[in-house]
Amino acid sequence: MDKIKILFVCSRNKWRSLTAEKICEKVSGYSVRSAGTEKAARIRVTEGLVGWADWIFVMEKKHSDRLRSKFPESLEGKKLICLQIPDNYQYMEPELVELLQAKLGSYMEMPIDVINFMQRVLESEVMDSLSEAIEYDSMDFTEVNSAFARSAAALGPVFGNVLDAGTGTARIPIALCAIRPQWKLTCIDLSANMLKVAAQNVESADARSQISLELIDAKEMPYPDNYFDMVISNSIIHHLPDPVTFLQEVRRVLKPQGAIFVRDLFRPETLEIRDNLVKLYAGDCNAHQQQLFSDSLQAAFTLDEIETIVQNAGLAGLRIYESSDRHWTAERAWCETL
Ligand SMILES: C[S@@+](CC[C@H](N)C(=O)[O-])C[C@H]1O[C@@H](n2cnc3c(N)ncnc32)[C@H](O)[C@@H]1O
């Protein structure tokens, strides 16, 4: 059976229609595109696009008025529906996603997985209790931590004043000390208990001369501007309700030539993929640890969302990419010549 072709239209094709396209691209039986009516639109609506579509969903009446006046002939025989969604939302904002799902649900069938994967469900920001810290430390992340340390070391300067934001139990900075003996690592976390376990790990690894542990909020750091040569961070972003503030702080405390290596999980596209990842990577863990991993995947951002967040934080020159079947990475190498 031929797919029904749907065109979503808003003003600039940046937030509303692009979100609608993203939501519907996984729904089988439909082929979807999006465009904007304004000159400055990311993709501007054309006669060709209108002619291509079977159904056109616009966000406001002004968009249907514009289409009717510009493309009256191409619109003949098309279903033109106004969703009445005002320009109050950012790309993939949960409220917008919910609104679109509710409104589009009257016209097309949305599988439950397509609806669920969109929802970012926040975890608590700080891993606060001592039992949580001990349990976290007992999970074996040696392989991913070593890979993180090797990649971070390769991007940074040989001598460096390096910040690790959301250091947890300091396993990554400890691995880094062996590779970069000239680095001084300032390792911050907002959980006193994580830092308690970190202090024991640092002591056992005999790494006290290179690592200092500090109880500090990464969203509001006490360090001066242009202070660090490199900022590294693993798995903090999915804990933060709004990571833009954190990344703005990273930008402030980092020297202009500074290196960045930030990594976290990304939110899988369906619940089935999420559950398969839990089986694959936490199959040997206990039920609570599996739940923690599943919750972290659900609290994570998608790659698209991360790109927008990094842009909104004003961090320039970063390469952002999917670095495994469950991680994204944002990185920038140290630049000696700046
Ligand atoms: C999943 S753990 C990752 C720990 C470590 N980076 C690792 O890879 O093992 C996330 C850590 O971020 C910390 N965290 C969350 N929000 C924070 C904030 N605003 N400032 C500093 N640390 C924070 C949590 O307490 C937790 O220790």
Side-chain angles (χ1 to χ4, degrees), residues 10-11 15-20 59-60 63 85-87 96 100:
C10 66
S11 303
W15 310 128
R16 292 170 292 177
S17 61
L18 198 58
T19 302
M59 300 297 151
E60 295 173 72
H63 301 131
I85 299 183
D87 194 4
L96 173 61
L100 280 164

Side-chain angles (χ1 to χ4, degrees), residues 123-128 133 136-137 139 141 144-145 148 164-173 188-195 214-221 232-241 246 263-265 296:
E123 282 189 303
S124 62
E125 181 170 344
V126 181
M127 305 179 78
D128 223 6
Y136 183 79
D137 195 54
M139 291 162 82
F141 298 117
V144 279
N145 287 350
F148 184 104
D164 180 20
T167 196
T169 58
R171 295 282 181 187
I172 287 177
I188 65 168
D189 205 285
L190 201 46
S191 158
N193 282 317
M194 280 290 202
L195 291 176
E214 299 180 13
L215 183 65
I216 278 166
D217 186 347
K219 303 186 298 302
E220 208 178 350
M221 297 189 253
I232 62 170
S233 185
N234 186 49
S235 270
I236 188 181
I237 298 260
H238 75 267
H239 285 278
L240 305 174
F246 161 57
R263 180 170 282 173
D264 203 346
L265 299 165
S296 298

Side-chain angles (χ1 to χ4, degrees), residues 33-51:
R33 297 170 80 173
S34 66
T37 53
E38 284 183 12
K39 241 189 197 152
R42 208 183 60 89
I43 295 174
R44 201 167 176 203
V45 66
T46 60
E47 183 111 51
L49 273 174
V50 173

Side-chain angles (χ1 to χ4, degrees), residues 73-279:
E73 279 149 31
S74 310
L75 272 175
E76 267 174 34
K78 313 267 167 184
K79 212 168 172 175
L80 179 62
I81 301 140
C82 180
L83 294 172
Q84 310 221 34
I85 299 183
D87 194 4
N88 292 343
Y89 308 95
Q90 297 249 315
Y91 177 62
M92 292 305 285
E93 198 176 312
E95 253 177 74
L96 173 61
V97 170
E98 227 170 89
L99 196 56
L100 280 164
Q101 284 166 344
K103 298 213 175 207
L104 292 170
S106 316
Y107 304 93
M108 49 201 290
E109 226 170 90
M110 296 251 190
I112 194 77
D113 255 10
V114 170
I115 295 177
N116 285 345
F117 97 87
M118 297 295 173
Q119 314 292 346
R120 178 179 184 228
V121 182
L122 259 175
E123 282 189 303
S124 62
E125 181 170 344
V126 181
M127 305 179 78
D128 223 6
S129 73
L130 185 58
S131 61
E132 256 183 311
I134 291 170
E135 175 151 41
Y136 183 79
D137 195 54
S138 74
M139 291 162 82
D140 185 8
F141 298 117
T142 312
E143 216 174 291
V144 279
N145 287 350
S146 308
F148 184 104
R150 280 194 304 274
S151 304
L155 286 174
V158 177
F159 294 88
N161 182 21
V162 176
L163 173 74
D164 180 20
T167 196
T169 58
R171 295 282 181 187
I172 287 177
I174 288 169
L176 270 165
C177 287
I179 315 175
R180 288 276 182 238
Q182 298 94 337
W183 279 10
K184 290 274 176 245
L185 289 136
T186 302
C187 302
I188 65 168
D189 205 285
L190 201 46
S191 158
N193 282 317
M194 280 290 202
L195 291 176
K196 209 182 255 180
V197 179
Q200 288 164 5
N201 290 340
V202 170
E203 182 73 38
S204 315
D206 199 15
R208 273 206 317 195
S209 60
Q210 268 185 271
I211 293 180
S212 74
L213 298 168
E214 299 180 13
L215 183 65
I216 278 166
D217 186 347
K219 303 186 298 302
E220 208 178 350
M221 297 189 253
Y223 311 113
D225 298 357
N226 306 329
Y227 184 67
F228 291 102
D229 300 301
M230 180 168 197
V231 175
I232 62 170
S233 185
N234 186 49
S235 270
I236 188 181
I237 298 260
H238 75 267
H239 285 278
L240 305 174
D242 175 15
V244 173
T245 333
F246 161 57
L247 291 177
Q248 281 170 336
E249 272 295 84
V250 168
R251 181 175 152 224
R252 184 185 66 74
V253 299
L254 190 61
K255 291 178 183 167
Q257 70 272 39
I260 299 179
F261 193 74
V262 178
R263 180 170 282 173
D264 203 346
L265 299 165
F266 63 78
R267 193 165 74 252
E269 294 198 342
T270 65
L271 297 181
E272 195 187 348
I273 301 175
R274 184 200 65 186
D275 294 343
N276 285 339
L277 287 170
V278 173
K279 259 189 227 139

